[in-house]
Amino acid sequence: MEWVETTGKTIEEAQDLALDKLGVDKSEAEFEVLEEPKAGLFGRTRGQARVRARVEPKGPRPKNDRRDKRKKSTDKPKAERAPKAERAPKADKATVAAGDDQASDAAPKRQSKKTDAEETPRERKSAPKAQKDSAPIEEVREHVSTFLTGLTAAFGFDGGVTIPDEDDTINAMVDGKHGLMVGPRGRTLDAIQELTRVAAQRTAPSAVRIRVDVGGYREIRREALAAFAADAAAKASEEQVEVVLEPMSSADRKTLHDALNEIEGVATRSAGNEPRRRVIVVPVTNEGADAE
């Protein structure tokens, strides 16, 4: 191994640099100090330390050790030695060809009929889908009545459920003034209506529209919103400004749009995103009405 020379402020620093170049540990290297730093004034040193190093050479193993190891490997009796693998006789080309023909005959022929997994997406898309049978309205009405009766009892109230016979809509009315089932601004009632619809779809799926009311709340709410819409329309017409109403549910917004559309001199539009979407009452001048 060739020697490398390094310098440093101290001998230890020069040795560390040499070890970095050699890439070995200090115990595996051999050093020679070529120059030591000289002592100066006030304990300072002058000059640099210079050393050379190399990987410590390892002498060859003594011949006796090699002979002993070789003797131990040959002391085993012949019976214990592993027999050499016998080479298999080479098969001629005719035998190989015959074997290939037999293998091809034994392989099953590929079926031309496509399985479900082999069908292309276009073929699966073109296949007609199985349509679910729509449950009769009488079955849906019975399920809605049973569900709402149990839900009312779960709230701790006593009250029946009335559902008039209609052909295309189920208007279920829970008897009694149960404010807990209505909630602030009818939010609990809207949640009950959605739960009833989901439960009916799972048990008796159909396209029938389901509405739920408690103690006639929705009619009372409709009348209150109609009066509120009239006041907003009057303010927009008199002051000729847009009146921005508070955020409401989609059902309440529809009630406001329907009420305001019957009032002359104003128009409506909606703005914002759910659940902060609201109705805006816009004044309409006579010039604008004539232009339209």
Side-chain angles (χ1 to χ4, degrees), residues 58-69:
K58 296 181 179 180
R61 191 168 47 189
K63 294 182 178 180
N64 294 334
D65 294 344
R66 296 200 299 269
R67 290 175 181 175
D68 293 341
K69 186 175 182 180

Side-chain angles (χ1 to χ4, degrees), residues 74-96:
T74 57
D75 286 345
K76 294 183 179 180
K78 295 184 178 180
E80 296 180 2
R81 295 180 185 178
K84 295 183 179 180
E86 296 181 358
R87 182 176 297 178
K90 293 184 178 179
D92 55 358
K93 295 182 179 181
T95 305
V96 175

Side-chain angles (χ1 to χ4, degrees), residues 113-131:
K113 185 179 180 180
K114 293 184 178 180
T115 61
D116 295 339
E118 294 174 339
E119 289 181 356
T120 62
R122 181 176 296 179
E123 291 173 347
R124 289 197 299 268
K125 187 175 181 180
S126 61
K129 296 182 179 179
Q131 297 181 355

